[in-house]
Amino acid sequence: MVQPVANGLRTDHPVPGLPFINDERLPLANPDAIERTGRNQGDGLWGRTDRLDGGGWVAFTTETKNRDYAWAVHQHPQYGRTVLLIHDDDMGNLHHEWMYGRSGFLYRHGGYWWDGESWHRPQQIIDLAYEAYQARPVADAVTVTASDVLAQPATPHNPRVAKIADFAAPEGPLPHWREHLALWASHRTPDSRPLDQCTVDLKAPELDPELFVDRAGLAQIACLEPDEVPHPKYSRSELPPPQVETAEGPRWSRPVAQDWAEKYQRTHGPEKLLSAKTAYGSNHPRGLVDDHNRLTKIISDRLKDADRFQKKSRFARHRSMDDEQQAADLAWWPAVALSDHTDGFIPLEAVRTTIVQAVLGGLAQSAELTGGTANGKLLGDISRDVVHLIDWYIQREPQMARPLFGDICLDARLRFNLDPQDVGDLLRRSLHLDSTIDGQTLDVLLGLALPPSAQASED
């Protein structure tokens, strides 16, 4: 998450704890002029502006008087203006979030986001059928406005508006921030957005710091051993965005931790579910183990035949080596080569594309038979041969089950306007009919690998 370092004085939605910067030099009425402030004006300077779907715009520029920082402006046609000072290196990330992230335009508490109407938790669960993260609303959320904060008792403090030229980002939240907000309010003009429409913060039961969990709590919620959870020092990007940083490490709300646990299981669950032990006691994809076991038997049988009929042939072996063990050793690398990504006998990417196209071909036939209005209740079952190919693929590439089913649901939605849940029901029904994987394992796998929008209805 991009962490802003200051509020512009003319923002409508101040971020709690951050100082206010005099932004009078910023031409807020003209996004193109904001872009020109930095774009191609010198080494290390940049600027950008884009129009938003539905109205409004975003604009960015490096601050020429303090090049470590950049201004970011979001102008919403209904909810007003957001003016932030950010680190210059964060321009691209915030531009992407505002333009394409589908996560609102205000962020608080480590990624909780507001779209002008409601608050949602940080985006973690992606729905591949829609190529987007699921928006998960915050229970009992209350929006805190500037007037709510200013209604609190004042404290003795002399705030000031900072100047950009000598500005340095503070290491932590400012104390007595209510008084900084009061100073901001005193600079509002008569035509400014009313204080009771200026969003400052979010309150919700799940954001009670007493209920936050640490890394050990994250492991417990995800049913992992503590050392299986990525370490914040080395793998921060693999963890959910923390709601607060403490001297002991990051802390998360329980719903954010639960979403991460779901994401972790969706990412790693299919591979674990569809694994088996090799002859050497290590875990590998079930299909690879099956291939190895079959090749082991074939080679073992051949070696026994050689012993029986050609005692003195060039295939004679040391009697100390067990036939089965030698067969396993000889069979392992051919089995690996069958499903190797880079130089294998079988092009796995081509197999995946073939599966998707085969399923879509069946859906096209269903749509044609129903006059182009394919309905989930009328979708014909997936061909048995295609199901067997799905079986073969996901047992050798279990970590690709989620992208495979996601591609099927996405393309079916875009090409035939099919509801992902109907396509999910079709996959579930067809696999239960013809898959060689047992039904219980299939149910768990589909629960992990189907997009959320394609899951079976709880009704």
Side-chain angles (χ1 to χ4, degrees), residues 263-274 398 444-445 448:
K263 172 187 174 183
Y264 187 93
Q265 291 303 322
R266 285 181 174 275
T267 301
H268 300 282
E271 188 171 2
K272 184 175 181 180
L273 181 69
L274 296 180
V444 176
L445 173 67
L448 293 168

Short mmCIF file of all heavy atoms in Angstrom, two decimals, residues 263-274 398 444-445 448:
data_model
loop_
_atom_site.label_atom_id
_atom_site.label_comp_id
_atom_site.label_asym_id
_atom_site.label_seq_id
_atom_site.Cartn_x
_atom_site.Cartn_y
_atom_site.Cartn_z
N LYS A 263 -7.10 -16.62 1.12
CA LYS A 263 -6.23 -16.43 -0.04
C LYS A 263 -5.10 -17.46 -0.03
O LYS A 263 -4.77 -18.05 -1.08
CB LYS A 263 -5.66 -15.01 -0.03
CG LYS A 263 -4.60 -14.75 -1.08
CD LYS A 263 -3.97 -13.38 -0.87
CE LYS A 263 -2.81 -13.16 -1.82
NZ LYS A 263 -2.15 -11.85 -1.58
N TYR A 264 -4.49 -17.67 1.12
CA TYR A 264 -3.38 -18.63 1.23
C TYR A 264 -3.85 -20.03 0.85
O TYR A 264 -3.17 -20.75 0.11
CB TYR A 264 -2.82 -18.62 2.65
CG TYR A 264 -1.58 -19.45 2.82
CD1 TYR A 264 -0.32 -18.87 2.68
CD2 TYR A 264 -1.64 -20.82 3.10
CE1 TYR A 264 0.84 -19.62 2.81
CE2 TYR A 264 -0.49 -21.58 3.24
CZ TYR A 264 0.75 -20.97 3.09
OH TYR A 264 1.88 -21.74 3.22
N GLN A 265 -5.02 -20.42 1.36
CA GLN A 265 -5.52 -21.76 1.05
C GLN A 265 -5.88 -21.89 -0.42
O GLN A 265 -5.67 -22.94 -1.04
CB GLN A 265 -6.74 -22.07 1.93
CG GLN A 265 -6.41 -22.24 3.40
CD GLN A 265 -5.37 -23.33 3.65
OE1 GLN A 265 -5.37 -24.36 2.98
NE2 GLN A 265 -4.47 -23.09 4.61
N ARG A 266 -6.46 -20.83 -1.00
CA ARG A 266 -6.79 -20.89 -2.42
C ARG A 266 -5.53 -20.99 -3.27
O ARG A 266 -5.52 -21.63 -4.33
CB ARG A 266 -7.58 -19.63 -2.82
CG ARG A 266 -9.02 -19.63 -2.36
CD ARG A 266 -9.75 -18.37 -2.80
NE ARG A 266 -11.16 -18.46 -2.47
CZ ARG A 266 -12.07 -19.04 -3.23
NH1 ARG A 266 -11.70 -19.60 -4.37
NH2 ARG A 266 -13.33 -19.08 -2.87
N THR A 267 -4.45 -20.34 -2.81
CA THR A 267 -3.21 -20.34 -3.58
C THR A 267 -2.46 -21.66 -3.43
O THR A 267 -1.96 -22.23 -4.40
CB THR A 267 -2.31 -19.18 -3.12
OG1 THR A 267 -3.02 -17.95 -3.32
CG2 THR A 267 -1.01 -19.15 -3.91
N HIS A 268 -2.36 -22.15 -2.19
CA HIS A 268 -1.52 -23.32 -1.91
C HIS A 268 -2.32 -24.61 -1.71
O HIS A 268 -1.73 -25.69 -1.74
CB HIS A 268 -0.67 -23.06 -0.67
CG HIS A 268 0.23 -21.87 -0.80
ND1 HIS A 268 1.41 -21.92 -1.51
CD2 HIS A 268 0.12 -20.60 -0.33
CE1 HIS A 268 2.00 -20.73 -1.47
NE2 HIS A 268 1.24 -19.91 -0.77
N GLY A 269 -3.63 -24.48 -1.48
CA GLY A 269 -4.43 -25.65 -1.15
C GLY A 269 -4.49 -26.72 -2.22
O GLY A 269 -4.30 -27.91 -1.94
N PRO A 270 -4.75 -26.35 -3.50
CA PRO A 270 -4.83 -27.40 -4.53
C PRO A 270 -3.55 -28.21 -4.65
O PRO A 270 -3.59 -29.43 -4.83
CB PRO A 270 -5.10 -26.59 -5.81
CG PRO A 270 -5.81 -25.36 -5.34
CD PRO A 270 -5.17 -25.03 -4.02
N GLU A 271 -2.40 -27.54 -4.56
CA GLU A 271 -1.13 -28.27 -4.67
C GLU A 271 -0.96 -29.26 -3.54
O GLU A 271 -0.48 -30.39 -3.73
CB GLU A 271 0.03 -27.27 -4.68
CG GLU A 271 1.38 -27.90 -5.00
CD GLU A 271 2.45 -26.85 -5.21
OE1 GLU A 271 2.17 -25.66 -5.07
OE2 GLU A 271 3.59 -27.25 -5.51
N LYS A 272 -1.37 -28.85 -2.34
CA LYS A 272 -1.26 -29.74 -1.18
C LYS A 272 -2.28 -30.87 -1.28
O LYS A 272 -1.98 -32.04 -0.97
CB LYS A 272 -1.46 -28.95 0.10
CG LYS A 272 -1.27 -29.75 1.37
CD LYS A 272 -1.38 -28.85 2.60
CE LYS A 272 -1.16 -29.65 3.89
NZ LYS A 272 -1.27 -28.78 5.09
N LEU A 273 -3.48 -30.52 -1.73
CA LEU A 273 -4.55 -31.51 -1.81
C LEU A 273 -4.24 -32.60 -2.82
O LEU A 273 -4.50 -33.78 -2.58
CB LEU A 273 -5.86 -30.80 -2.19
CG LEU A 273 -7.11 -31.67 -2.30
CD1 LEU A 273 -7.53 -32.18 -0.93
CD2 LEU A 273 -8.25 -30.87 -2.95
N LEU A 274 -3.66 -32.21 -3.95
CA LEU A 274 -3.40 -33.16 -5.02
C LEU A 274 -1.94 -33.61 -5.04
O LEU A 274 -1.32 -33.75 -6.09
CB LEU A 274 -3.77 -32.55 -6.38
CG LEU A 274 -5.26 -32.22 -6.56
CD1 LEU A 274 -5.51 -31.63 -7.94
CD2 LEU A 274 -6.12 -33.46 -6.35
N PRO A 398 -1.22 -29.05 -10.07
CA PRO A 398 -2.31 -28.66 -9.17
C PRO A 398 -2.35 -27.18 -8.85
O PRO A 398 -3.43 -26.61 -8.63
CB PRO A 398 -2.03 -29.49 -7.91
CG PRO A 398 -0.59 -29.88 -7.99
CD PRO A 398 -0.31 -30.03 -9.44
N VAL A 444 -13.41 -30.42 -2.08
CA VAL A 444 -12.44 -29.51 -1.45
C VAL A 444 -11.69 -28.72 -2.52
O VAL A 444 -11.50 -27.51 -2.40
CB VAL A 444 -11.45 -30.30 -0.58
CG1 VAL A 444 -10.39 -29.37 0.00
CG2 VAL A 444 -12.19 -31.01 0.56
N LEU A 445 -11.25 -29.43 -3.57
CA LEU A 445 -10.50 -28.76 -4.63
C LEU A 445 -11.32 -27.65 -5.28
O LEU A 445 -10.83 -26.53 -5.48
CB LEU A 445 -10.09 -29.79 -5.68
CG LEU A 445 -9.44 -29.22 -6.95
CD1 LEU A 445 -8.09 -28.60 -6.61
CD2 LEU A 445 -9.30 -30.28 -8.02
N LEU A 448 -11.61 -24.58 -3.33
CA LEU A 448 -10.40 -23.77 -3.33
C LEU A 448 -10.14 -23.11 -4.67
O LEU A 448 -9.66 -21.98 -4.73
CB LEU A 448 -9.19 -24.65 -2.96
CG LEU A 448 -9.13 -25.22 -1.54
CD1 LEU A 448 -8.05 -26.27 -1.46
CD2 LEU A 448 -8.87 -24.11 -0.53
#
